[in-house]
Amino acid sequence: PPQTQGMLASTSRVFPSPSTLTPPRRSSTANYRHRHRRKGCSKCASASIPSTSASSSHSERRVALVTGSTDGIGLHTACSLAAAGMGVIVHGRSQERVDAAVSRIEGVAAGGGGVCGAYVRDFSSLAHVAALAGEVLDNHPRLDILNNNAGVFEAKRVLTGDGFERTFQINVLSPYLLTGMLMPRIAATAAAGGTGEADVRVLNVTSISQSPGVEWDNLHAQKSFTSHGSYCHSKTCMRVFSFELHERMQRAAAKETSGEQMRFASSELAAAGAAALGQVVVLTCDPGTVNTKMLLAGWGPCGVETFQADDQFSLLTAPRFRDEDARGGYYVNLHMKQRPKPRAAHDAVVEEREKLWGILEQMTEFEYPF
């Protein structure tokens, strides 16, 4: 994958807000963000940009980060969120495409919505993911929506600079790391909204083309690789990760409610409290059969056009998905197809979730701060 060392300092923009596995070695966002700086990594040292505070007239505007928002469903969702009055953080791998997406989103923004940040980061590098999280934390005081939309469909097996198969890293490891690093801000946003009033959501995009289960001996396609097999397996892992994320957040909230003393590796999360984690809505979905570049490359033109792909926008905004019985689920065509089992079930499904979570911790060397 391209190592864009020289462009890191110039590819991030903050818009004035209109408002071989090794054990995990770090458990806090701050420590992870500064790992490469402590080692003298020029890529991360050049990644800092000045923070820009939200203007007082727009400090209450809801903010959404849509990864992979320069084309396809990600761009369509970002446009829809801006048209609904939200601040949108744009992310992509190409400066040219990020600039084009910013122009497109600004052209449809309404009701005070629009682009409030734009960042060029390559999810085939965990250092880039950490840098993106750092930029969001430095420059955006609130984060109401995280749409883990970015994904790839690879024609051949490629190992990233981090040593992982590219599809698995971009589609699974990177969203795991980004979500964990941003969770203190997400929880703080939920806490600021008040109990029962907050509308904060994390949407993890998977696919109806999932494989039957996690292939423990072929996580990086080391035994066999096909484009479809690697992609479908990564989407299985994304659903499993999303289920475990929901369950862990709900358990943390329940512990605090029962009076159990909680310890957090993040001061921001400690201030928000575990109850705030319980207010965050975690969902996962198949985005629909849509004629994106990915679908065309892998399956041909067999879906609806991108401008008709509204499932992600609905899951991120429709009130009914905040209902208790709607949270945590896997959705296809906006209908829940599967709900995560509670940890108490102690069956193979729960064991699969917990095992994968441990592997993601080891590979990214990042433990969630709760």
Side-chain angles (χ1 to χ4, degrees), residues 124-146:
S124 66
S125 163
L126 294 180
H128 275 235
V129 177
L132 174 62
E135 289 162 337
V136 172
L137 293 172
D138 288 343
N139 296 294
H140 303 281
R142 64 183 296 155
L143 186 60
D144 302 80
I145 286 174
L146 172 59

Side-chain angles (χ1 to χ4, degrees), residues 284-307:
T284 184
C285 76
D286 169 69
T289 305
V290 184
N291 289 332
T292 61
K293 291 187 303 182
M294 194 176 299
L295 186 81
L296 296 175
W299 289 268
C302 56
V304 301
E305 297 307 314
T306 303
F307 64 83

Side-chain angles (χ1 to χ4, degrees), residues 52-363:
T52 299
S53 300
S55 63
S56 58
S57 61
H58 295 279
S59 60
E60 298 305 313
R61 179 176 66 166
R62 301 181 68 224
V63 173
L65 167 59
V66 182
T67 65
S69 46
T70 56
D71 61 12
I73 301 172
L75 177 57
H76 176 66
T77 302
C79 286
S80 298
L81 293 169
M86 295 189 197
V88 175
I89 302 171
V90 177
H91 158 260
R93 288 183 291 172
S94 157
Q95 184 68 61
E96 181 181 2
R97 290 187 177 184
V98 166
D99 290 342
V102 168
S103 297
R104 173 90 170 268
I105 295 166
E106 284 292 295
V108 300
V115 176
C116 58
Y119 304 100
V120 178
R121 294 296 178 196
D122 186 345
F123 275 15
S124 66
S125 163
L126 294 180
H128 275 235
V129 177
L132 174 62
E135 289 162 337
V136 172
L137 293 172
D138 288 343
N139 296 294
H140 303 281
R142 64 183 296 155
L143 186 60
D144 302 80
I145 286 174
L146 172 59
N147 184 187
N148 283 314
N149 167 80
V152 295
F153 180 92
E154 293 292 302
K156 60 182 180 180
R157 183 177 185 266
V158 176
L159 293 182
T160 69
D162 295 313
F164 306 119
E165 192 272 320
R166 182 177 167 88
T167 307
F168 186 79
Q169 176 159 335
I170 293 175
N171 293 7
V172 186
L173 292 177
S174 291
Y176 165 86
L177 177 58
L178 182 67
T179 304
M181 294 185 70
L182 293 178
M183 189 53 67
R185 183 62 42 83
I186 293 169
T189 304
T195 304
E197 299 299 323
D199 186 2
V200 179
R201 310 188 193 192
V202 175
L203 177 61
N204 299 308
V205 178
T206 179
S207 171
I208 199 171
S209 302
Q210 297 171 45
S211 56
V214 179
E215 300 172 14
W216 304 114
D217 61 347
N218 199 40
L219 290 177
H220 299 289
Q222 63 269 36
K223 287 182 61 179
S224 63
F225 174 89
T226 65
S227 297
H228 289 86
S230 182
Y231 173 80
C232 295
H233 180 248
S234 74
K235 292 305 182 179
T236 297
C237 293
M238 193 60 168
R239 175 186 53 79
V240 172
F241 154 67
S242 188
F243 281 2
E244 183 64 9
L245 175 64
H246 167 78
E247 282 299 306
R248 284 177 180 249
M249 293 170 68
Q250 294 302 311
R251 288 201 305 269
K255 287 179 180 180
E256 183 170 272
T257 301
S258 66
E260 183 174 337
Q261 187 68 29
M262 298 290 294
R263 292 186 177 183
F264 301 101
S266 160
S267 58
E268 185 174 23
L269 184 54
L277 293 171
Q279 295 183 59
V280 177
V281 177
V282 178
L283 304 168
T284 184
C285 76
D286 169 69
T289 305
V290 184
N291 289 332
T292 61
K293 291 187 303 182
M294 194 176 299
L295 186 81
L296 296 175
W299 289 268
C302 56
V304 301
E305 297 307 314
T306 303
F307 64 83
Q308 299 172 293
D310 293 325
D311 284 14
Q312 288 181 212
F313 174 72
S314 296
L315 287 162
L316 291 169
T317 58
R320 71 182 178 95
F321 297 109
R322 292 177 59 200
D323 295 345
E324 286 298 327
D325 61 354
R327 299 183 179 207
Y330 163 55
Y331 288 83
V332 177
N333 296 325
L334 301 181
H335 297 288
M336 186 186 288
K337 292 297 183 181
Q338 190 176 358
R339 183 192 304 275
K341 292 184 177 181
R343 189 180 189 183
H346 292 302
D347 63 4
V349 174
V350 175
E351 290 175 2
E352 179 184 58
R353 288 193 336 232
E354 294 180 339
K355 182 176 179 178
L356 178 63
W357 188 278
I359 288 173
L360 299 181
E361 279 188 348
Q362 291 176 321
M363 289 182 176

